[in-house]
Amino acid sequence: MTSSKFKPALFLCLSGILAGCAQGPATAPRSSIDTPVVSKTDDQPYSARELYQLARNYQAEPQHYHLLKAARQALAEEDYLLALAITENLKQSPYPLVRRQNMLPRLKAYLATQQQHSLMQLLDKIELEQIAESDRAEFLWLAGQHQSQQQRYLAACRNLLLLEQQDGALQNFPQYPDLLWQNLSALSDSQLEGLRTGADYNTAGWLNLAQLSRRYIGQPEALQQAFADWQRRYPTLPALSQLPDAVRQLINLTPYQPKRIAVLLPLQGQFRPHAQAIQYGILAAASSKQATSLVFIDSQQSPEAMQQQVEQAQAEFVIGPLLKDQVDSVSKVDNWPWPTLFLNSKDNNITKAEQFYFALSMEDEASQMAQLFAQKNYRRPVVISSANNVSVRMQQHFAAEWRKLGNDAPEMHQFNSKEELETLINSLLETDRSRDRVKQISALLPQKLEADPHSRLDIDAIYLIADPVQTRLFKPFVDVSVSQTAPRLPVYASSRSHSTSLDSTDLRDLNGLTFTEMPWMLAEQGSVELRQQYQQLFADQDETLQRLFAMGYDAYQLVGSLRQQQQLPATVFPGLTGQLRLTPGGSIVRQLSWASYRNNRLRPVQEP
C-alpha cells in the first residue's frame, strides 16, 4: 500500500485541524498521550475517527496530544491510513515531546502500509534520544525485525544490540536472542569488528561469541572449550539453555572430520594452470591440519575411473571435480558413496544427500546488487554490460532478480567498443539532445549563448558489468556527461571491474565507483598474513588464478562446516571468497564485500 492511495479529504481535514495549532492559547488543559482514552461509557470507548474529530475541540499542544491518542487507537483498530495521515502531519509538530512520542506510532504506520522509502529515511536518520523513553524498546525491536527482513543485517544488529540495553527488553521480546544471532551470523568479520567501536560489556560478549563460533567451526572440542571460556567471561549473558537454538546445535553437532580427502582436478590439458591454483589453495589451507592427508586425482578420465581411484585412496570425502561436464557426470553416478563438494554449480533441481556445490558464481554478485538497489529504494536503475557471454548473463540475472523483488524491468544496454560506449552514455543521459537544443537556440540569437547541457534526472543508479579497462573508460565518460546542477549519479560495478594493478591516474578516474569483490582480493583484515605469504610465493600470478587459489582455500575449509551449515541454514562461513551460506539445495551462495574508490584510494565500505 502506498501513499498514493490515501484519501485526499483526510489530509485536508488534518491540515485544517493542525493549522489551528498556532492560534492563541490552549482552550483545554494539557493531556498526556499515556492517559487512558476517555470513554463514552465504561465499555464503549471512542473510536479512532471519533477521537480524531474530538481533537478539533483543542488547540496547540493539547490538540497534538489528542491526535496522538487518535493515531494509537487507529493502529489498534488497524485503521492504518488514518494512523499514517496523523503521524505524518505530527512529525512536523513544534513540540519536542509530541515528536518523540510520535516516533513509535509513525514507525508502526509505515510498517503497516509498507512505506519503504519513508522507513529507510526514518531508520537511517533516527537517534535514540529522539524517541520517547518508554517507546524505545519496542521501536528498536520493530526496527531490527524490519531491517533483518530487508537483509540489512548490520543496521539490524546495531538496533538489536541497543535493545538489550533497555530495561526489561529481553523479558518483553523472548525471540530477541534468535533474531540477534541470525543477523550477527550474516555479518562479515570486518563488520563484526566495526561493531566493537564504543561497545559495552554485553555487546562485546555477543560479538566475541559470533567470532569464536566462526574461528572454531568444524572443531567441536575447541569450540566447546572456547564456549566454556566465554561463559566464564560473560556470566551476565544467557546461559547455554537460554542461547539461540542455532548456537546450542552448533556446539553439539559433529562435523565432517575426514582423515583422507580425494581432490579431483584437471591436472592435464588447458585447464592445468587453473587446477594448480586451486591445488595450491587447498594445500595452504591443509598445512595447519596435519591429521588430514590429501590425494590429488586427475579428473580428465571417466567417472568410473575416478571412482575406482577414490576407492583405492580410501578417501572419506571428495573435493571436485572442477569442470562443468565432469561435475554433471559424477553427480549422476548412482553408487557414489562419498560426501562431495563439487567445485562448480549445478543446473538441475535434483538434490542428493551429502552432495554440495561451490562455484565462484557471477550470478551471486548480480543478486547482491539487486538486493542493495532495493534496499536503497532505487526505482529506475540502468544496467550496462559489455557484450560478452558472462557479462550479458549477469545483466539478465540482475533483471530477473530485480523483477522478483517486485520492480519493473530495468533499462538495459550493451556495448562492444569504446566508441559504442561513449555514444551509449551520451544517448543514455540524453546530453546529446541537450547539446542539440543549445545549438538550435544559439542559432536564433544574435549574442553568444552560454549554457551547459543537461542530463536525465530520472535515473537512480547505474550498474556497470565490464572489465577493468572498459570501466576506466566508462566512469570518466559518465562524470563529464552528468550536468553539474544534477544530483550525483551513483555508479556500481562487479568484481569484473576490479584490478589490483591500478596506478594513481586510474584511481582518480574511478573515484565514486562502488563494487562487489571477494575479501581475498581486497586484502581484508582476516587474510592479511596469508596474503603476504601468497605474494612471496606467487608474486606474478594473474588475478584469475589468485581468485582460484582463494576458492581452493575455502573449499578445504568448508569441509568442516558443511554439516553445521546443512543443519543450520543461518550459519555463515567467513571465507576468502565471501560470506558463504549453504542453500537447502546444497549450493554455496556467496555474499561479497563492498569497496569504493574515494579520494584516489580504494576503501572498504559498508553497504547498505
Side-chain angles (χ1 to χ4, degrees):
M1 189 178 298
T2 64
S3 57
S4 62
K5 297 182 181 179
F6 299 157
K7 298 177 181 178
L10 184 59
F11 276 104
L12 289 173
C13 188
L14 265 174
S15 300
I17 290 180
L18 294 175
C21 291
Q23 297 174 4
T27 59
R30 171 174 172 163
S31 173
S32 169
I33 187 63
D34 296 320
T35 58
V37 175
V38 178
S39 302
K40 290 183 283 189
T41 66
D42 289 340
D43 59 354
Q44 189 181 12
Y46 284 109
S47 70
R49 290 185 179 262
E50 288 172 331
L51 286 170
Y52 164 66
Q53 293 296 333
L54 286 172
R56 292 175 177 274
N57 299 327
Y58 298 84
Q59 293 181 11
E61 193 170 5
Q63 185 181 74
H64 284 212
Y65 278 107
H66 280 78
L67 287 170
L68 270 172
K69 285 183 181 179
R72 294 199 176 193
Q73 184 63 27
L75 289 168
E77 296 172 4
E78 300 184 3
D79 190 350
Y80 298 127
L81 290 182
L82 176 61
L84 181 60
I86 295 173
T87 56
E88 271 292 287
N89 278 276
L90 287 180
K91 74 181 184 182
Q92 304 296 337
S93 172
Y95 309 108
L97 188 56
V98 170
R99 292 198 303 273
R100 287 198 292 272
Q101 294 191 7
N102 185 49
M103 286 297 182
L104 180 58
R106 186 173 151 206
L107 173 63
K108 288 181 176 180
Y110 285 166
L111 289 169
T113 55
Q114 301 176 36
Q115 303 296 305
Q116 299 299 338
H117 181 69
S118 297
L119 277 166
M120 182 173 292
Q121 286 192 318
L122 174 63
L123 297 180
D124 286 352
K125 297 178 181 178
I126 192 72
E127 298 289 341
L128 205 57
E129 295 73 20
Q130 296 174 279
I131 308 165
E133 189 170 352
S134 60
D135 292 340
R136 288 175 186 172
E138 188 175 4
F139 187 99
L140 292 169
W141 173 250
L142 293 174
Q145 279 187 312
H146 172 73
Q147 289 163 332
S148 179
Q149 292 165 0
Q150 296 292 309
Q151 299 182 341
R152 302 189 66 193
Y153 303 119
L154 183 60
C157 285
R158 288 196 175 108
N159 281 318
L160 292 171
L161 289 168
L162 284 173
L163 171 60
E164 192 178 31
Q165 301 172 20
Q166 306 300 310
D167 292 338
L170 299 185
Q171 291 74 26
N172 294 329
F173 305 103
Q175 308 95 334
Y176 169 82
D178 290 284
L179 186 63
L180 175 61
W181 187 256
Q182 175 186 331
N183 285 276
L184 286 173
S185 298
L187 299 185
S188 66
D189 286 348
S190 60
Q191 287 174 321
L192 283 174
E193 197 60 36
L195 287 173
R196 288 188 178 279
T197 304
D200 65 5
Y201 175 81
N202 282 2
T203 295
W206 282 109
L207 297 178
N208 285 339
L209 180 61
Q211 289 176 322
L212 71 86
S213 73
R214 298 177 181 197
R215 186 177 303 124
Y216 300 109
I217 193 169
Q219 306 173 54
E221 296 84 3
L223 181 60
Q224 289 171 3
Q225 181 59 51
F227 177 71
D229 293 340
W230 178 84
Q231 285 193 306
R232 284 192 289 271
R233 290 177 61 191
Y234 299 99
T236 60
L237 287 179
L240 178 59
S241 60
Q242 299 171 305
L243 281 173
D245 290 342
V247 177
R248 289 187 279 113
Q249 293 179 47
L250 188 66
I251 293 170
N252 295 324
L253 272 175
T254 301
Y256 289 119
Q257 295 176 303
K259 299 299 182 183
R260 293 176 71 80
I261 297 177
V263 184
L264 310 178
L265 292 171
L267 301 176
Q268 301 179 51
Q270 61 176 323
F271 295 105
R272 184 167 179 254
H274 304 83
Q276 285 184 325
I278 292 174
Q279 185 178 22
Y280 296 151
I282 291 174
L283 290 169
S287 62
S288 61
K289 297 181 181 180
Q290 303 298 331
T292 302
S293 61
L294 297 166
V295 179
F296 292 91
I297 297 172
D298 188 5
S299 63
Q300 300 286 51
Q301 53 186 322
S302 69
E304 294 76 19
M306 283 188 275
Q307 183 173 10
Q308 185 178 9
Q309 292 190 39
V310 173
E311 287 175 349
Q312 292 172 351
Q314 298 181 330
E316 300 169 19
F317 196 98
V318 175
I319 296 177
L322 170 67
L323 303 183
K324 190 70 176 69
D325 60 334
Q326 296 170 0
V327 168
D328 292 340
S329 298
V330 171
S331 65
K332 292 174 183 176
V333 175
D334 292 330
N335 57 338
W336 187 269
W338 303 280
T340 303
L341 177 61
F342 296 105
L343 299 179
N344 213 312
S345 57
K346 65 173 181 177
D347 291 332
N348 55 58
N349 294 322
I350 300 174
T351 300
K352 290 187 178 181
E354 299 193 307
Q355 288 193 356
F356 311 96
Y357 297 81
F358 176 36
L360 301 184
S361 170
M362 302 304 291
E363 284 84 356
D364 289 346
E365 295 192 53
S367 295
Q368 186 173 340
M369 193 65 71
Q371 291 163 4
L372 176 73
F373 281 15
Q375 291 160 2
K376 287 183 170 288
N377 208 38
Y378 293 148
R379 288 289 176 264
R380 293 289 304 276
V382 174
V383 190
I384 299 174
S385 78
S386 55
N388 60 65
N389 290 337
V390 174
S391 297
V392 172
R393 196 173 75 232
M394 286 184 68
Q395 184 186 55
Q396 292 171 345
H397 188 80
F398 175 93
E401 289 296 306
W402 186 245
R403 289 194 295 270
K404 282 182 187 177
L405 294 169
N407 301 290
D408 295 332
E411 185 176 339
M412 299 196 296
H413 301 276
Q414 298 170 11
F415 65 92
N416 281 292
S417 64
K418 174 184 176 181
E419 291 72 26
E420 281 188 21
L421 181 59
E422 187 170 7
T423 302
L424 170 60
I425 293 170
N426 285 328
S427 173
L428 169 68
L429 299 177
E430 296 182 355
T431 49
D432 51 352
R433 297 184 187 180
S434 180
R435 290 191 184 96
D436 289 342
R437 287 193 294 270
V438 171
K439 290 178 181 178
Q440 291 171 5
I441 296 173
S442 297
L444 299 174
L445 298 175
Q447 69 272 26
K448 184 178 179 181
L449 177 65
E450 297 290 341
D452 293 323
H454 289 275
S455 54
R456 283 174 63 182
L457 298 177
D458 62 325
I459 298 175
D460 289 316
I462 293 177
Y463 182 26
L464 174 68
I465 306 171
D467 65 32
V469 174
Q470 293 165 335
T471 302
R472 291 197 292 273
L473 291 171
F474 177 88
K475 187 62 170 60
F477 280 164
V478 172
D479 291 341
V480 300
S481 298
V482 175
S483 59
Q484 296 181 359
T485 57
R488 186 183 71 85
L489 182 60
V491 179
Y492 296 86
S494 72
S495 62
R496 294 178 63 77
S497 292
H498 177 230
S499 173
T500 56
S501 56
L502 298 177
D503 59 28
S504 57
T505 301
D506 297 330
L507 294 173
R508 184 184 65 245
D509 289 343
L510 293 173
N511 276 332
L513 181 75
T514 301
F515 62 96
T516 46
E517 181 59 282
M518 63 172 62
W520 174 245
M521 300 303 291
L522 297 174
E524 289 192 0
Q525 185 174 1
S527 63
V528 170
E529 183 178 350
L530 178 63
R531 185 81 195 177
Q532 291 171 346
Q533 297 172 1
Y534 175 87
Q535 293 290 2
Q536 292 174 357
L537 295 172
F538 309 108
D540 298 325
Q541 197 169 60
D542 71 39
E543 293 181 7
T544 297
L545 299 184
Q546 291 181 43
R547 296 175 194 278
L548 290 173
F549 173 90
M551 182 187 187
Y553 192 96
D554 281 356
Y556 182 88
Q557 299 282 48
L558 275 168
V559 172
S561 73
L562 286 171
R563 186 162 280 161
Q564 282 90 338
Q565 292 183 282
Q566 190 175 39
Q567 297 297 321
L568 305 168
T571 303
V572 176
F573 180 84
L576 299 183
T577 58
Q579 300 293 109
L580 308 179
R581 190 186 301 273
L582 185 66
T583 69
S587 295
I588 299 291
V589 176
R590 297 184 303 147
Q591 184 83 9
L592 281 77
S593 298
W594 294 96
S596 182
Y597 296 100
R598 297 179 181 176
N599 299 321
N600 304 337
R601 293 181 61 187
L602 178 61
R603 302 175 185 272
V605 294
Q606 303 295 347
E607 291 282 7

